[in-house]
Amino acid sequence: MMKLTLLSATLATATAFAPSSTSSAKFSLQSTEEPITEVEVDTEPVVVPVPAINGWTPDPYAPCYGLPGALAPTGFFDPLGFAQKGISLNDIKRNRESEVMHGRVAMLASVGYLAGEAISGPFNIVGPANDQLQQVPAPAFAFLTLMIGAAEIKRAQIGWIEPDFSNWNKTLWQLRENYYPGDVGFDPLGLKPTDPKAFANMQTRELQNGRLAMLGVAGMCSQELVNHRTIFETIDFYQKVYSGVDPYSLCGDSVIC
């Protein structure tokens, strides 16, 4: 009996380590590759309602927010991207403000170059326009400086938001919402049109003349820095050159005459 019990235990132990004939299911994790579709998010500018100013309503989908100034044959000409898509309305208005004001100064300067060199004026100032500012008497120069400063402060009060240095990133360099770039309210001759289309045409003419004046004044200033002659002396010089006359025949020992 004991032998039979030991034999049964031995067989049970052996079968425990024998390979099972039952087929086991094998599972494997396989990743299925699906095509990744790129979703383009349309980042259109947020349209914030802005009241019309001088008939102009900012259009975020138009070049330069629809401000006038584009003219054939160049049309909208912005090679450096100052008005490219993504520039904020405030930056566009600030750049236009700068362009208009510099154009006005350049138009005055172009007249001043020619008139100042042709007429000596009350202070007997002569020579190239580049050298005339240093000939202005000190009291007149101080008065001129104060007048320019007062005009700039007045322009800042009209068109710019008062800076709050506790919240400077939202108020510094910010123009007023109802301010049209360059429209400081100075119109003694009453030339500002009331019709929006007529105003846009006049603004375009002013911009084009101002751009031309900026180029012209830069050329006149550079020319006088090179040869130290007035504009009319330079014209006379080249008239002699193209007429076959030696422009230096009357100079004597002097190179510049």
Side-chain angles (χ1 to χ4, degrees):
M1 184 66 181
M2 180 62 68
K3 291 182 180 180
L4 181 59
T5 303
L6 292 175
L7 181 60
S8 300
T10 304
L11 291 174
T13 305
T15 55
F17 292 95
S20 176
S21 61
T22 306
S23 60
S24 61
K26 296 182 179 180
F27 299 94
S28 61
L29 297 177
Q30 296 180 353
S31 60
T32 57
E33 296 183 0
E34 296 181 357
I36 300 175
T37 304
E38 295 183 358
V39 179
E40 295 184 358
V41 180
D42 191 10
T43 57
E44 292 293 341
V46 179
V47 180
V48 180
V50 178
I53 316 170
N54 291 331
W56 166 67
T57 302
D59 183 1
Y61 304 102
C64 205
Y65 281 83
L67 280 169
L71 192 65
T74 57
F76 178 68
F77 182 74
D78 183 31
L80 299 181
F82 287 110
Q84 64 183 345
K85 187 177 181 180
I87 303 296
S88 67
L89 175 60
N90 182 75
D91 288 340
I92 291 293
K93 291 174 64 176
R94 191 155 53 92
N95 290 338
R96 174 53 60 87
E97 169 85 0
S98 177
E99 182 181 23
V100 171
M101 300 310 297
H102 281 84
R104 291 171 180 171
V105 171
M107 286 188 281
L108 291 174
S110 61
V111 176
Y113 260 83
L114 300 176
E117 293 177 351
I119 304 171
S120 61
F123 304 116
N124 195 26
I125 298 175
V126 295
N130 285 4
D131 303 330
Q132 290 186 2
L133 188 61
Q134 60 192 10
Q135 301 177 43
V136 177
F141 184 83
F143 178 75
L144 177 64
T145 304
L146 288 175
M147 292 300 294
I148 294 175
E152 287 297 299
I153 292 175
K154 183 64 175 177
R155 180 172 69 94
Q157 291 175 339
I158 293 174
W160 301 73
I161 295 177
E162 291 77 6
D164 181 8
F165 292 102
S166 62
N167 193 19
W168 63 270
N169 59 335
K170 292 184 179 180
T171 59
L172 196 61
W173 315 121
Q174 295 291 319
L175 272 69
R176 301 185 189 277
E177 187 178 280
N178 61 344
Y179 175 68
Y180 188 91
D183 188 4
V184 294
F186 181 74
D187 184 26
L189 300 180
L191 300 177
K192 178 182 176 181
T194 56
D195 179 66
K197 186 175 181 180
F199 178 84
N201 291 335
M202 178 172 282
Q203 178 79 113
T204 300
R205 291 197 298 270
E206 182 184 21
L207 284 166
Q208 295 296 331
N209 283 279
R211 292 162 181 168
L212 179 61
M214 286 188 279
L215 293 174
V217 169
M220 290 189 285
C221 181
S222 302
Q223 171 257 303
E224 292 192 358
L225 287 173
V226 171
N227 62 6
H228 300 281
R229 301 174 187 269
T230 66
I231 303 300
F232 293 107
E233 287 175 349
T234 300
I235 294 174
D236 180 66
F237 177 86
Y238 283 105
Q239 282 180 342
K240 292 179 179 179
V241 170
Y242 293 123
S243 300
V245 179
D246 184 7
Y248 299 105
S249 60
L250 302 176
C251 290
D253 296 333
S254 177
V255 177
I256 299 177
C257 60

